[in-house]
mmCIF file of all heavy atoms in Angstrom:
data_model
loop_
_atom_site.group_PDB
_atom_site.id
_atom_site.type_symbol
_atom_site.label_atom_id
_atom_site.label_comp_id
_atom_site.label_asym_id
_atom_site.label_seq_id
_atom_site.Cartn_x
_atom_site.Cartn_y
_atom_site.Cartn_z
ATOM 1 N N ALA A 1 184.614 115.478 66.988
ATOM 2 C CA ALA A 1 183.737 116.319 67.814
ATOM 3 C C ALA A 1 183.677 117.720 67.214
ATOM 4 O O ALA A 1 184.672 118.223 66.676
ATOM 5 C CB ALA A 1 184.243 116.375 69.251
ATOM 6 N N LYS A 2 182.501 118.334 67.323
ATOM 7 C CA LYS A 2 182.305 119.676 66.788
ATOM 8 C C LYS A 2 181.320 120.428 67.670
ATOM 9 O O LYS A 2 180.319 119.860 68.111
ATOM 10 C CB LYS A 2 181.775 119.595 65.355
ATOM 11 C CG LYS A 2 181.533 120.936 64.689
ATOM 12 C CD LYS A 2 181.044 120.734 63.253
ATOM 13 C CE LYS A 2 180.782 122.064 62.556
ATOM 14 N NZ LYS A 2 180.308 121.867 61.166
ATOM 15 N N ALA A 3 181.624 121.685 67.915
ATOM 16 C CA ALA A 3 180.733 122.540 68.707
ATOM 17 C C ALA A 3 180.694 123.925 68.080
ATOM 18 O O ALA A 3 181.708 124.423 67.587
ATOM 19 C CB ALA A 3 181.211 122.632 70.157
ATOM 20 N N SER A 4 179.515 124.532 68.089
ATOM 21 C CA SER A 4 179.390 125.889 67.561
ATOM 22 C C SER A 4 178.556 126.724 68.529
ATOM 23 O O SER A 4 177.592 126.242 69.137
ATOM 24 C CB SER A 4 178.733 125.878 66.175
ATOM 25 O OG SER A 4 177.425 125.328 66.238
ATOM 26 N N TYR A 5 178.959 127.968 68.655
ATOM 27 C CA TYR A 5 178.239 128.911 69.519
ATOM 28 C C TYR A 5 178.447 130.303 68.958
ATOM 29 O O TYR A 5 179.591 130.790 68.861
ATOM 30 C CB TYR A 5 178.761 128.841 70.956
ATOM 31 C CG TYR A 5 178.011 129.731 71.915
ATOM 32 C CD1 TYR A 5 176.765 129.356 72.426
ATOM 33 C CD2 TYR A 5 178.528 130.965 72.298
ATOM 34 C CE1 TYR A 5 176.070 130.168 73.294
ATOM 35 C CE2 TYR A 5 177.840 131.793 73.176
ATOM 36 C CZ TYR A 5 176.602 131.390 73.665
ATOM 37 O OH TYR A 5 175.912 132.210 74.536
ATOM 38 N N GLY A 6 177.359 130.940 68.578
ATOM 39 C CA GLY A 6 177.475 132.274 68.006
ATOM 40 C C GLY A 6 178.293 132.245 66.726
ATOM 41 O O GLY A 6 178.010 131.485 65.800
ATOM 42 N N ASP A 7 179.358 133.056 66.687
ATOM 43 C CA ASP A 7 180.206 133.150 65.512
ATOM 44 C C ASP A 7 181.379 132.176 65.547
ATOM 45 O O ASP A 7 182.245 132.217 64.662
ATOM 46 C CB ASP A 7 180.754 134.583 65.380
ATOM 47 C CG ASP A 7 179.656 135.603 65.123
ATOM 48 O OD1 ASP A 7 178.652 135.226 64.484
ATOM 49 O OD2 ASP A 7 179.800 136.760 65.549
ATOM 50 N N PHE A 8 181.438 131.308 66.548
ATOM 51 C CA PHE A 8 182.582 130.420 66.716
ATOM 52 C C PHE A 8 182.220 128.964 66.392
ATOM 53 O O PHE A 8 181.130 128.498 66.728
ATOM 54 C CB PHE A 8 183.110 130.488 68.152
ATOM 55 C CG PHE A 8 183.744 131.802 68.504
ATOM 56 C CD1 PHE A 8 182.996 132.825 69.045
ATOM 57 C CD2 PHE A 8 185.095 132.008 68.273
ATOM 58 C CE1 PHE A 8 183.571 134.035 69.371
ATOM 59 C CE2 PHE A 8 185.685 133.220 68.596
ATOM 60 C CZ PHE A 8 184.932 134.238 69.147
ATOM 61 N N ILE A 9 183.164 128.271 65.752
ATOM 62 C CA ILE A 9 183.044 126.837 65.496
ATOM 63 C C ILE A 9 184.350 126.171 65.917
ATOM 64 O O ILE A 9 185.427 126.545 65.444
ATOM 65 C CB ILE A 9 182.770 126.538 64.013
ATOM 66 C CG1 ILE A 9 181.454 127.156 63.558
ATOM 67 C CG2 ILE A 9 182.749 125.018 63.769
ATOM 68 C CD1 ILE A 9 181.178 126.976 62.076
ATOM 69 N N LEU A 10 184.236 125.205 66.811
ATOM 70 C CA LEU A 10 185.404 124.449 67.275
ATOM 71 C C LEU A 10 185.211 122.989 66.877
ATOM 72 O O LEU A 10 184.159 122.402 67.154
ATOM 73 C CB LEU A 10 185.554 124.563 68.792
ATOM 74 C CG LEU A 10 186.686 123.736 69.423
ATOM 75 C CD1 LEU A 10 188.048 124.253 68.975
ATOM 76 C CD2 LEU A 10 186.567 123.758 70.953
ATOM 77 N N GLN A 11 186.200 122.416 66.227
ATOM 78 C CA GLN A 11 186.114 121.005 65.869
ATOM 79 C C GLN A 11 187.481 120.347 65.996
ATOM 80 O O GLN A 11 188.522 120.998 65.888
ATOM 81 C CB GLN A 11 185.547 120.815 64.471
ATOM 82 C CG GLN A 11 186.423 121.304 63.339
ATOM 83 C CD GLN A 11 185.777 121.028 61.985
ATOM 84 O OE1 GLN A 11 184.573 120.930 61.858
ATOM 85 N NE2 GLN A 11 186.596 120.903 60.953
ATOM 86 N N GLY A 12 187.449 119.047 66.242
ATOM 87 C CA GLY A 12 188.674 118.293 66.377
ATOM 88 C C GLY A 12 188.421 116.831 66.077
ATOM 89 O O GLY A 12 187.285 116.351 66.114
ATOM 90 N N GLY A 13 189.491 116.125 65.774
ATOM 91 C CA GLY A 13 189.338 114.715 65.451
ATOM 92 C C GLY A 13 190.638 113.969 65.620
ATOM 93 O O GLY A 13 191.728 114.555 65.665
ATOM 94 N N PHE A 14 190.514 112.656 65.718
ATOM 95 C CA PHE A 14 191.676 111.781 65.792
ATOM 96 C C PHE A 14 191.329 110.470 65.097
ATOM 97 O O PHE A 14 190.235 109.925 65.282
ATOM 98 C CB PHE A 14 192.075 111.504 67.238
ATOM 99 C CG PHE A 14 193.223 110.524 67.359
ATOM 100 C CD1 PHE A 14 194.529 110.952 67.174
ATOM 101 C CD2 PHE A 14 192.994 109.180 67.627
ATOM 102 C CE1 PHE A 14 195.593 110.066 67.254
ATOM 103 C CE2 PHE A 14 194.040 108.279 67.713
ATOM 104 C CZ PHE A 14 195.351 108.725 67.538
ATOM 105 N N THR A 15 192.250 109.989 64.274
ATOM 106 C CA THR A 15 192.042 108.715 63.596
ATOM 107 C C THR A 15 193.327 107.910 63.622
ATOM 108 O O THR A 15 194.428 108.475 63.570
ATOM 109 C CB THR A 15 191.564 108.925 62.138
ATOM 110 O OG1 THR A 15 191.283 107.667 61.541
ATOM 111 C CG2 THR A 15 192.608 109.641 61.315
ATOM 112 N N SER A 16 193.181 106.597 63.722
ATOM 113 C CA SER A 16 194.334 105.698 63.758
ATOM 114 C C SER A 16 194.019 104.487 62.888
ATOM 115 O O SER A 16 192.968 103.860 63.050
ATOM 116 C CB SER A 16 194.635 105.262 65.199
ATOM 117 O OG SER A 16 195.718 104.347 65.234
ATOM 118 N N ARG A 17 194.917 104.157 61.965
ATOM 119 C CA ARG A 17 194.703 103.036 61.040
ATOM 120 C C ARG A 17 195.951 102.164 61.005
ATOM 121 O O ARG A 17 197.056 102.654 60.734
ATOM 122 C CB ARG A 17 194.394 103.536 59.631
ATOM 123 C CG ARG A 17 194.205 102.411 58.605
ATOM 124 C CD ARG A 17 193.827 102.995 57.249
ATOM 125 N NE ARG A 17 193.523 101.957 56.266
ATOM 126 C CZ ARG A 17 194.332 101.615 55.269
ATOM 127 N NH1 ARG A 17 195.509 102.221 55.139
ATOM 128 N NH2 ARG A 17 193.993 100.675 54.401
ATOM 129 N N LYS A 18 195.762 100.891 61.288
ATOM 130 C CA LYS A 18 196.838 99.913 61.222
ATOM 131 C C LYS A 18 196.524 98.929 60.115
ATOM 132 O O LYS A 18 195.440 98.356 60.067
ATOM 133 C CB LYS A 18 196.985 99.187 62.561
ATOM 134 C CG LYS A 18 198.240 98.339 62.668
ATOM 135 C CD LYS A 18 198.398 97.776 64.074
ATOM 136 C CE LYS A 18 199.707 97.015 64.213
ATOM 137 N NZ LYS A 18 199.884 96.482 65.592
ATOM 138 N N LYS A 19 197.477 98.723 59.203
ATOM 139 C CA LYS A 19 197.238 97.901 58.020
ATOM 140 C C LYS A 19 198.420 96.990 57.758
ATOM 141 O O LYS A 19 199.555 97.450 57.671
ATOM 142 C CB LYS A 19 197.006 98.792 56.796
ATOM 143 C CG LYS A 19 196.769 98.025 55.490
ATOM 144 C CD LYS A 19 195.411 97.383 55.484
ATOM 145 C CE LYS A 19 195.115 96.664 54.171
ATOM 146 N NZ LYS A 19 195.925 95.449 53.993
ATOM 147 N N LYS A 20 198.137 95.686 57.660
ATOM 148 C CA LYS A 20 199.167 94.763 57.203
ATOM 149 C C LYS A 20 199.319 94.895 55.687
ATOM 150 O O LYS A 20 198.356 95.182 54.972
ATOM 151 C CB LYS A 20 198.811 93.324 57.563
ATOM 152 C CG LYS A 20 199.099 92.952 59.011
ATOM 153 C CD LYS A 20 198.951 91.454 59.230
ATOM 154 C CE LYS A 20 199.329 91.067 60.657
ATOM 155 N NZ LYS A 20 199.230 89.599 60.859
ATOM 156 N N VAL A 21 200.545 94.655 55.197
ATOM 157 C CA VAL A 21 200.843 94.805 53.770
ATOM 158 C C VAL A 21 201.294 93.454 53.219
ATOM 159 O O VAL A 21 202.315 92.918 53.649
ATOM 160 C CB VAL A 21 201.937 95.865 53.548
ATOM 161 C CG1 VAL A 21 202.245 95.999 52.064
ATOM 162 C CG2 VAL A 21 201.495 97.206 54.128
ATOM 163 N N PRO A 22 200.543 92.879 52.256
ATOM 164 C CA PRO A 22 200.861 91.537 51.766
ATOM 165 C C PRO A 22 201.804 91.485 50.570
ATOM 166 O O PRO A 22 202.225 90.404 50.165
ATOM 167 C CB PRO A 22 199.488 91.002 51.370
ATOM 168 C CG PRO A 22 198.752 92.217 50.908
ATOM 169 C CD PRO A 22 199.247 93.366 51.756
ATOM 170 N N THR A 23 202.143 92.647 49.974
ATOM 171 C CA THR A 23 202.824 92.646 48.676
ATOM 172 C C THR A 23 204.336 92.517 48.758
ATOM 173 O O THR A 23 205.005 92.493 47.731
ATOM 174 C CB THR A 23 202.487 93.942 47.920
ATOM 175 O OG1 THR A 23 202.807 95.071 48.756
ATOM 176 C CG2 THR A 23 201.018 93.990 47.541
ATOM 177 N N ALA A 24 204.904 92.464 49.986
ATOM 178 C CA ALA A 24 206.370 92.426 50.151
ATOM 179 C C ALA A 24 207.018 93.607 49.436
ATOM 180 O O ALA A 24 207.986 93.462 48.680
ATOM 181 C CB ALA A 24 206.951 91.111 49.671
ATOM 182 N N SER A 25 206.470 94.807 49.671
ATOM 183 C CA SER A 25 207.012 96.005 49.044
ATOM 184 C C SER A 25 208.391 96.330 49.607
ATOM 185 O O SER A 25 208.778 95.863 50.675
ATOM 186 C CB SER A 25 206.059 97.182 49.271
ATOM 187 O OG SER A 25 205.773 97.338 50.645
ATOM 188 N N PHE A 26 209.137 97.121 48.862
ATOM 189 C CA PHE A 26 210.495 97.552 49.242
ATOM 190 C C PHE A 26 211.449 96.373 49.427
ATOM 191 O O PHE A 26 212.435 96.470 50.156
ATOM 192 C CB PHE A 26 210.468 98.387 50.534
ATOM 193 C CG PHE A 26 209.556 99.571 50.486
ATOM 194 C CD1 PHE A 26 208.324 99.546 51.115
ATOM 195 C CD2 PHE A 26 209.917 100.722 49.790
ATOM 196 C CE1 PHE A 26 207.469 100.637 51.067
ATOM 197 C CE2 PHE A 26 209.063 101.816 49.739
ATOM 198 C CZ PHE A 26 207.845 101.773 50.370
ATOM 199 N N GLY A 27 211.162 95.228 48.801
ATOM 200 C CA GLY A 27 212.061 94.090 48.892
ATOM 201 C C GLY A 27 212.043 93.374 50.223
ATOM 202 O O GLY A 27 213.014 92.702 50.593
ATOM 203 N N THR A 28 210.933 93.460 50.976
ATOM 204 C CA THR A 28 210.839 92.810 52.280
ATOM 205 C C THR A 28 210.579 91.313 52.125
ATOM 206 O O THR A 28 210.367 90.806 51.030
ATOM 207 C CB THR A 28 209.719 93.448 53.118
ATOM 208 O OG1 THR A 28 208.492 93.398 52.370
ATOM 209 C CG2 THR A 28 210.035 94.903 53.434
ATOM 210 N N VAL A 29 210.593 90.607 53.260
ATOM 211 C CA VAL A 29 210.373 89.159 53.264
ATOM 212 C C VAL A 29 208.913 88.868 52.918
ATOM 213 O O VAL A 29 207.994 89.406 53.540
ATOM 214 C CB VAL A 29 210.731 88.564 54.638
ATOM 215 C CG1 VAL A 29 210.413 87.073 54.681
ATOM 216 C CG2 VAL A 29 212.203 88.807 54.941
ATOM 217 N N PHE A 30 208.725 88.000 51.941
ATOM 218 C CA PHE A 30 207.372 87.660 51.503
ATOM 219 C C PHE A 30 206.726 86.684 52.478
ATOM 220 O O PHE A 30 207.359 85.790 53.024
ATOM 221 C CB PHE A 30 207.425 87.050 50.103
ATOM 222 C CG PHE A 30 206.082 86.726 49.525
ATOM 223 C CD1 PHE A 30 205.270 87.719 49.016
ATOM 224 C CD2 PHE A 30 205.618 85.414 49.510
ATOM 225 C CE1 PHE A 30 204.025 87.430 48.487
ATOM 226 C CE2 PHE A 30 204.375 85.104 48.983
ATOM 227 C CZ PHE A 30 203.576 86.114 48.472
ATOM 228 N N ASN A 31 205.417 86.848 52.699
ATOM 229 C CA ASN A 31 204.599 85.952 53.526
ATOM 230 C C ASN A 31 205.085 85.892 54.971
ATOM 231 O O ASN A 31 204.946 84.883 55.642
ATOM 232 C CB ASN A 31 204.577 84.532 52.934
ATOM 233 C CG ASN A 31 203.527 83.654 53.600
ATOM 234 O OD1 ASN A 31 202.424 84.104 53.917
ATOM 235 N ND2 ASN A 31 203.872 82.400 53.846
ATOM 236 N N SER A 32 205.622 86.990 55.474
ATOM 237 C CA SER A 32 206.040 87.022 56.877
ATOM 238 C C SER A 32 204.877 87.386 57.793
ATOM 239 O O SER A 32 204.883 87.055 58.978
ATOM 240 C CB SER A 32 207.167 88.034 57.066
ATOM 241 O OG SER A 32 206.678 89.359 56.878
ATOM 242 N N GLY A 33 203.873 88.093 57.260
ATOM 243 C CA GLY A 33 202.779 88.585 58.088
ATOM 244 C C GLY A 33 203.189 89.712 59.007
ATOM 245 O O GLY A 33 202.394 90.158 59.842
ATOM 246 N N ALA A 34 204.431 90.203 58.847
ATOM 247 C CA ALA A 34 204.947 91.218 59.766
ATOM 248 C C ALA A 34 205.016 92.603 59.146
ATOM 249 O O ALA A 34 205.177 93.600 59.860
ATOM 250 C CB ALA A 34 206.335 90.818 60.268
ATOM 251 N N GLU A 35 204.923 92.700 57.793
ATOM 252 C CA GLU A 35 204.995 94.020 57.167
ATOM 253 C C GLU A 35 203.681 94.757 57.383
ATOM 254 O O GLU A 35 202.595 94.209 57.169
ATOM 255 C CB GLU A 35 205.278 93.895 55.670
ATOM 256 C CG GLU A 35 205.416 95.251 55.001
ATOM 257 C CD GLU A 35 205.609 95.174 53.495
ATOM 258 O OE1 GLU A 35 205.701 94.052 52.950
ATOM 259 O OE2 GLU A 35 205.649 96.253 52.863
ATOM 260 N N GLY A 36 203.777 95.997 57.817
ATOM 261 C CA GLY A 36 202.566 96.774 58.049
ATOM 262 C C GLY A 36 202.872 98.218 58.352
ATOM 263 O O GLY A 36 204.022 98.614 58.555
ATOM 264 N N THR A 37 201.821 99.029 58.364
ATOM 265 C CA THR A 37 201.958 100.456 58.638
ATOM 266 C C THR A 37 200.927 100.891 59.669
ATOM 267 O O THR A 37 199.841 100.325 59.775
ATOM 268 C CB THR A 37 201.768 101.292 57.356
ATOM 269 O OG1 THR A 37 200.463 101.030 56.814
ATOM 270 C CG2 THR A 37 202.816 100.952 56.318
ATOM 271 N N LEU A 38 201.299 101.917 60.417
ATOM 272 C CA LEU A 38 200.397 102.573 61.360
ATOM 273 C C LEU A 38 200.378 104.054 61.024
ATOM 274 O O LEU A 38 201.430 104.709 60.998
ATOM 275 C CB LEU A 38 200.867 102.362 62.797
ATOM 276 C CG LEU A 38 200.124 103.163 63.872
ATOM 277 C CD1 LEU A 38 198.676 102.684 63.993
ATOM 278 C CD2 LEU A 38 200.825 103.059 65.218
ATOM 279 N N ASP A 39 199.192 104.587 60.732
ATOM 280 C CA ASP A 39 199.034 106.011 60.430
ATOM 281 C C ASP A 39 198.062 106.624 61.425
ATOM 282 O O ASP A 39 196.975 106.081 61.656
ATOM 283 C CB ASP A 39 198.492 106.203 59.010
ATOM 284 C CG ASP A 39 199.489 105.814 57.947
ATOM 285 O OD1 ASP A 39 200.401 106.612 57.681
ATOM 286 O OD2 ASP A 39 199.362 104.709 57.395
ATOM 287 N N GLN A 40 198.452 107.759 61.992
ATOM 288 C CA GLN A 40 197.595 108.471 62.941
ATOM 289 C C GLN A 40 197.546 109.940 62.566
ATOM 290 O O GLN A 40 198.534 110.513 62.113
ATOM 291 C CB GLN A 40 198.100 108.315 64.374
ATOM 292 C CG GLN A 40 198.046 106.896 64.889
ATOM 293 C CD GLN A 40 198.556 106.770 66.311
ATOM 294 O OE1 GLN A 40 199.334 107.605 66.788
ATOM 295 N NE2 GLN A 40 198.125 105.733 67.004
ATOM 296 N N ARG A 41 196.383 110.527 62.798
ATOM 297 C CA ARG A 41 196.207 111.953 62.496
ATOM 298 C C ARG A 41 195.287 112.557 63.540
ATOM 299 O O ARG A 41 194.233 112.003 63.855
ATOM 300 C CB ARG A 41 195.588 112.102 61.106
ATOM 301 C CG ARG A 41 195.143 113.525 60.741
ATOM 302 C CD ARG A 41 196.269 114.329 60.141
ATOM 303 N NE ARG A 41 195.865 115.713 59.903
ATOM 304 C CZ ARG A 41 195.206 116.143 58.831
ATOM 305 N NH1 ARG A 41 194.829 115.280 57.912
ATOM 306 N NH2 ARG A 41 194.923 117.417 58.696
#
């Protein structure tokens, strides 16, 4: 969202991404379907 009035500009945002990881990184169990990350900003 963004709003401007006169000399002022106000903006803000939120994003959330959830991703499964198939590569068994960091020595995790392969083909578990449970490895994943959640990133929010």
Side-chain angles (χ1 to χ4, degrees):
K2 180 178 180 180
S4 61
Y5 183 79
D7 295 329
F8 292 91
I9 298 176
L10 176 66
Q11 67 178 26
F14 176 80
T15 184
S16 178
R17 178 177 185 254
K18 191 174 184 179
K19 179 72 177 70
K20 281 190 176 182
V21 179
T23 54
S25 54
F26 305 103
T28 55
V29 176
F30 183 77
N31 191 39
S32 69
E35 182 184 357
T37 59
L38 172 67
D39 291 282
Q40 295 180 337
R41 171 87 185 276

